[in-house]
Every structure is written in structure tokens, then in C-alpha cells.
Amino acid sequence: MTNEKTILVGYDGSAGANLALAWALDEAARTGGPVRLGYGFEWLTAYSWLGPAVGMGVPPNMTGDAEARRRVAELLDDAVAKAAGSHPGVSVSAEVLDGPPVSRLLDASAGAAMLVLGSRGHGGFTGLLTGSTTVALTAHAHCPVVVVREGPGVPSGPVLVGVDGSEHSLRALDFAAGRATARGLRLSVVRALPAPEDWPADPADRDAGAVVARAQAALDDLVHRSSAAGLEVSTEVVLGSAAEALIQRSRDAALVVVGSRGRGGFTGLLLGSVSQQLLQHAHCPIAVVRELAGQDPPAAG
């Protein structure tokens, strides 16, 4: 069973899943929580990459299904054993989740501290970051979702978070502050505003310096009143694309955190081009926060 400290890893033995597992183990070593590997098992998916347990073209049957499950169990046992060797202080377990991987991971995410995924997979997680699968997991998981790309980012860099004052972004800020505290890192808070050419035509609203100054004061006040108050924090208001600002700054970050929805510079963060750009081009792991463990989800809208 998951609990509010459990780190859930979507695992299928791929290189991406192993990167995700390594990240999760390092995080668990800092937080003291357990790691749980979940493999979403569907016969046809497992059959396609584990190799034919029976002849090609033979419909699924009980014998083949049992063989495929055995090989999945061996895969998980091997991953748990290696994790115990590399991180002996971390409690690691694994479970085969029968059914469609997305729905089973969504179910398993309830009560977990976070769900960690690799940027590419096979078997139960084929095409994990392409199309609707990513949107479903990041938009509907009952805990923050961390996507680990090709590398761990800059381990000594800041935890970077995009904030716009929306409920989801405030939860992202809380999550980012927790990660920065656990790692002893600086927190970098970014607010993006539209470029001046996209502002209203009223001349009174087109003083860029005044607009940025007001936004900066509001951002500083928000951070001061948040769980980030005790950290080393830098704040920055930028003009232009939220995605470009976060992607550029992710080069020097340990983790970039965003809410699952927003307003202003982060409107529709997981429903359009911004999310796709972050998932495809960020230079460090990405955390998408919809709910925090033990909290109700934000109201829809």
C-alpha cells in the first residue's frame, strides 16, 4: 500500500525507467520514505517486448500469460535487488499492476508522495511521453508526477518553479520548497508575464517597468507567505514565453516544477504547447503538481 511518503515508480526495465528509479532512490534516501515499483501488466503489451512465450500469432492463453507474468516478476525482483545494493538504507518493493498501465498507475498514485516516470519506456509504458498517456498521468494523478529525462540535471543547482498565483502553482511552490529543503538547495521562483506587444492598447497599462515592478512585489510577498519562507530563495519576473523561460533556466537546475494548470504566463500548462515543450526540451527532471499527498485536488475550472 502507498502512503504519504512512498515514492511510486512506473517501471518496465527500460533505460528510461532505470533513470527514473535511480532518481527516486536518491530522493527516498533524503526523505526516508520507501520506494515502490509498479509494472502495469497487460498481456498483449508484455508479450510484444518480453518475447513470445508461445508461438507468434498464437492468441493469448493461460500458459503464455503465466510465462509473461513470471518474466515480469523476475524483472522486478532483479530491480529490487539492485536497488537494495545501491541504496541499502531505502526500503524497496515492487508489484505487478494488472490492467491498463495508465489507469492502474493513476489508482496506485492515491496517497503516494510522488509518481516518478522515465521519459521513454517499453512494454507496459510504450510511448509514455507521447500523446494522451502523458497528459492523462500528469493531469489526473493523485500526487505530483516527476518525469526524469536523459540526465539528473545539475544536482547542486536550484529547484526551479513556475508560479502565477493560481491554486495549482501554489501547490507547485509548496512541492518545490519541500524538494529544496530535502536537498539543501536554493529555490528559484519564476513568474512569466506576456510580452509587451500582447498587452492592452491603453497607454496607462503599457509601462513595462511599472508592470514588472508590481508583479515582482506581488511575487515576493507570495513567496514570503509560503512554505518557502525559510529557504534561500531568488525570485524573477520575466516577459515573454513561460515555456522558454523555464526551459532556458532548467539548464542549470536540479528540478523544474510546474502546476498542472495555471493562468497568465502558465495558462493551459498541461493542455497545449507549453507542457509539450517542457516535457520534450527541459534539461532536468520535471515535476508536475496537481495534488499534494493528503490534500484534496484543486477545484475544477
Side-chain angles (χ1 to χ4, degrees), residues 132-229:
S132 61
T133 302
T134 299
V135 174
L137 288 170
T138 55
H140 299 294
H142 302 292
C143 64
V145 177
V146 176
V147 178
V148 181
R149 289 174 52 80
E150 289 76 7
V154 179
S156 60
V159 175
L160 173 67
V161 57
V163 171
D164 63 6
S166 66
E167 184 68 24
H168 285 275
S169 78
L170 296 181
R171 294 190 181 203
L173 178 59
D174 284 345
F175 180 82
R179 306 283 64 74
T181 298
R183 298 181 180 207
L185 298 176
R186 177 170 58 89
L187 182 66
S188 176
V189 185
V190 175
R191 169 74 188 273
L193 299 177
E197 56 267 26
D198 297 324
W199 292 0
D202 186 349
D205 295 326
R206 297 186 67 82
D207 184 339
V211 170
V212 170
R214 289 196 297 269
Q216 184 69 58
L219 181 61
D220 291 341
D221 180 64
L222 185 153
V223 171
H224 177 72
R225 292 183 284 106
S226 74
S227 59

Side-chain angles (χ1 to χ4, degrees), residues 50-103:
L50 287 172
V54 292
M56 291 299 293
V58 177
N61 57 49
M62 293 299 292
T63 302
D65 186 71
E67 173 64 14
R69 285 184 62 86
R70 182 188 66 78
R71 296 177 70 174
V72 168
E74 289 178 350
L75 175 76
L76 293 177
D77 288 345
D78 182 63
V80 170
K82 290 179 178 177
S86 64
H87 293 74
V90 177
S91 174
V92 184
S93 62
E95 181 178 1
V96 177
L97 304 173
D98 288 301
V102 171
S103 63

Side-chain angles (χ1 to χ4, degrees), residues 7 9 18-35 83 86-90 92 114 116 148 151-153 155 179 182-183 285:
I7 298 177
V9 180
N18 282 311
L19 284 175
L21 176 56
W23 190 95
L25 290 169
D26 288 344
E27 185 71 13
R30 301 182 188 99
T31 63
V35 171
S86 64
H87 293 74
V90 177
V92 184
M114 65 186 80
V116 184
V148 181
R179 306 283 64 74
R183 298 181 180 207

